[in-house]
Amino acid sequence: MGDAAAKKTKVIHGKDMTAYGVFRFAQTYRISADALAKIGPQMSDHPRRLLYFQALENYLRSFQLLVGTTPEDVRDYNHHFADRLTACKALGLHLPKDIQDFIQSPKRSKEYVKIRYDYKLDGQDAPWQAERTMERLRAVVAEVEKAVDLAVQASNPEFIMLGDVKLTKISGSGH
């Protein structure tokens, strides 16, 4: 292994997406989770929960990008919802206290890990049975979406015109 292997460039996936693009990306996760509700859990509600968590994370990422946080710094938060929300609040995101408390609860990061890796499905001994959070999670995501949408729309997202059609840019590089 030479110097080239030691100096690998850190890949920042999605670094060219605009704040609006990340917002729309978050909406696709939320819409997909809502659609899964119509068919109900087959063996587990893990997929729906995971989609809501992805939506939540991307709404917060969108806000960070909107107010000037670099893609590299946004990426550094990984799946740490509490830390990401703390940063967003410091940057001006306003959410009701009960929404903040839900996101910043230590249970959220544990739940996020469990829905990705726990082999126990919806049996009575599943770790999260004591606190069924699906509807609360859905409501929290809706509140965060509403708050970030207001900020995105107030920012007057960049757009391009194709004839009479106005298209809001979702990527800064055209990729």
Side-chain angles (χ1 to χ4, degrees):
M1 303 250 156
D3 288 335
K7 296 181 183 181
K8 250 185 172 174
T9 303
K10 185 177 180 181
V11 175
I12 307 297
H13 297 287
K15 70 179 179 183
D16 293 326
M17 288 183 74
T18 65
Y20 180 77
V22 175
F23 179 80
R24 296 293 293 167
F25 193 48
Q27 285 183 314
T28 63
Y29 280 111
R30 194 256 316 140
I31 290 166
S32 297
D34 290 347
L36 280 180
K38 293 178 179 147
I39 61 170
Q42 301 302 306
M43 288 177 42
S44 168
D45 64 6
H46 287 53
R48 185 172 173 219
R49 287 176 183 274
L50 181 61
L51 291 168
Y52 280 133
F53 273 111
Q54 288 301 120
L56 175 62
E57 180 177 20
N58 280 295
Y59 285 130
L60 296 174
R61 285 180 58 231
S62 171
F63 186 82
Q64 288 178 291
L65 291 169
L66 184 67
V67 296
T69 306
T70 67
E72 294 78 13
D73 288 342
V74 168
R75 173 67 181 100
D76 286 344
Y77 285 92
N78 292 308
H79 304 298
H80 301 283
F81 298 98
D83 294 341
R84 192 179 295 278
L85 178 59
T86 298
C88 288
K89 286 174 14 185
L91 295 167
L93 182 64
H94 300 287
L95 292 168
K97 178 140 177 39
D98 64 314
I99 300 296
Q100 295 176 42
D101 291 346
F102 181 88
I103 295 169
Q104 292 182 314
S105 167
K107 293 178 183 177
R108 291 302 77 77
S109 54
K110 290 177 186 171
E111 183 178 8
Y112 183 72
V113 170
K114 288 174 185 170
I115 62 172
R116 289 173 36 219
Y117 300 111
D118 199 332
Y119 66 92
K120 296 176 186 173
L121 298 174
D122 281 343
Q124 291 294 10
D125 59 345
W128 53 86
Q129 286 294 337
E131 182 190 12
R132 294 304 299 176
T133 58
M134 180 64 79
E135 284 311 306
R136 185 69 184 132
L137 178 59
R138 185 200 58 72
V140 164
V141 169
E143 281 292 320
V144 174
E145 177 180 10
K146 190 173 12 173
V148 175
D149 187 26
L150 288 172
V152 168
Q153 295 310 318
S155 75
N156 195 18
E158 188 177 351
F159 63 90
I160 57 174
M161 294 297 295
L162 291 177
D164 293 337
V165 178
K166 178 180 176 180
L167 300 173
T168 305
K169 290 179 75 172
I170 61 171
S171 175
S173 70
H175 293 123

